[in-house]
């Protein structure tokens, strides 16, 4: 089977712990990904501005350097997708492929030219905020709960022009609706769950799920137990319930996977890392999901959204 996972934090962990992408004790490595018929992974350069000692931009550039170095070390085992043609070739050649993203728009340091430079470095998705406020908007834990700033609107508009996918995971609710109003093209929530099943502030309301769907976007269901059940205790069946619920609200074209591997300290019982994706498909199948729907959730939906986005500006 093929996998398209819209979010992992593996680069950050590799950088902090001096580990290698090829084989490691983390939740994701190339050796385990290559067991599948095809694997496209969005790798985030994650910035928590309260936790870094350098500027957000310097921090993200260091993570991008780690990403580039690791992919260069593994030529032939992983390729980088930057254009619609790269994506199509990845689809035709199977194997393991990657897309670079930034999680936390503070990396731009308030500059549109920096946004364009990140695009030139290969960034093809930006999660507008992490949990805190930045120059673009407020994150979900910022008490003020404000939406997009003027700079945030300018950045969103330039991202649409360049062909960088806009990601609303972690964004304040006001920010979400501002994005919904001011975007022309599909946007995504790369790693978010359903608030109706778990009341965590990071999760999406039914109205938000419908809005992403109506725009033609996609939501990557997050594997983090804290977002899946109110008491934080959950197994693989609970993860399947979120996927089914999202499909009931948003339709089968609007749901994908956003594992958050290596960004979470725990996983649902029965999931250990990339090696468990097959088990999740088996559980969904056992619960009655059709093969064609499983294919959309595991691969086809994010493939479609990225194909549209990258196709806008090769
Ligand atoms: Zn995140």
């Amino acid at each position: 089977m093929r996998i398209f996972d819209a979010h992992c934090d593996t680069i950050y962990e590799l950088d902090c712990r001096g580990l290698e992408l090829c084989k490691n004790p983390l939740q994701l490595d190339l050796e385990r990904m290559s067991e599948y018929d095809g694997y496209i992974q969005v790798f985030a350069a994650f910035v928590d501005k309260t936790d870094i000692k350098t500027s957000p931009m310097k921090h993200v550039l260091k993570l991008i350097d780690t990403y580039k170095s690791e992919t260069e070390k593994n030529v032939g085992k992983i390729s980088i997708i930057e254009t619609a043609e790269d994506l199509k070739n990845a689809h035709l050649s199977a194997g393991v492929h990657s897309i670079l993203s930034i999680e936390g728009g503070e990396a731009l340091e308030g500059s549109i030219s920096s946004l364009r430079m990140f695009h030139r470095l290969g960034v093809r998705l930006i999660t507008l905020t992490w949990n805190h406020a930045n120059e673009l908007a407020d994150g979900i834990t910022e008490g003020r709960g404000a939406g997009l700033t003027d700079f945030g609107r300018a950045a969103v508009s330039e991202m649409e022009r360049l062909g960088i996918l806009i990601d609303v995971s972690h964004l304040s609710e006001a920010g979400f609706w501002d994005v919904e109003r001011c975007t022309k093209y599909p946007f995504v929530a790369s790693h978010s769950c359903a608030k109706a099943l778990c009341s965590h502030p990071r999760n999406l309301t039914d109205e938000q799920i419908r809005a992403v769907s109506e725009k033609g976007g996609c939501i990557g269901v997050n594997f983090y137990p804290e977002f899946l059940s109110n008491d934080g205790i959950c197994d693989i069946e609970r993860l399947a319930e979120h996927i089914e619920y999202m499909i009931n609200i948003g339709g089968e074209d609007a749901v994908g996977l956003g594992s958050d591997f290596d960004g979470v300290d725990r996983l649902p019982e029965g999931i250990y890392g990339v090696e468990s994706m097959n088990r999740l498909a088996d559980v969904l199948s056992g619960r009655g999901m059709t093969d064609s729907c499983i294919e959309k959730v595991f691969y086809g939906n994010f493939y479609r959204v990225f194909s549209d986005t990258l196709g806008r500006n090769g």
Side-chain angles (χ1 to χ4, degrees), residues 247-267:
I247 290 172
N248 283 338
I249 301 298
E252 65 179 40
D253 293 333
V255 183
L257 303 179
S259 69
D260 216 350
F261 284 145
D262 297 318
V264 296
D265 52 6
R266 292 186 304 122
L267 288 166

Side-chain angles (χ1 to χ4, degrees), residues 293-313:
C293 186
I294 289 172
E295 192 279 335
K296 284 182 178 181
V297 170
F298 278 67
Y299 185 82
N301 289 335
F302 272 117
Y303 183 87
R304 181 196 76 238
V305 176
F306 268 98
S307 189
D308 290 350
T309 305
L310 301 185
R312 232 175 287 145
N313 185 352

Side-chain angles (χ1 to χ4, degrees), residues 137-138 140 144-148 153 171-181 208:
D138 281 4
I140 192 65
R144 177 177 55 177
L148 289 176
R153 284 174 203 279
L171 186 59
S172 68
E173 204 166 334
F176 175 98
W177 291 109
D178 283 346
V179 167
E180 194 273 334
R181 277 188 291 269
Q208 288 177 308

Side-chain angles (χ1 to χ4, degrees), residues 83-100:
T83 64
E85 196 184 348
D86 293 340
L87 183 61
K88 198 172 172 193
N89 288 336
H91 177 75
L92 295 173
S93 67
V96 182
H97 309 276
S98 63
I99 296 172
L100 177 60

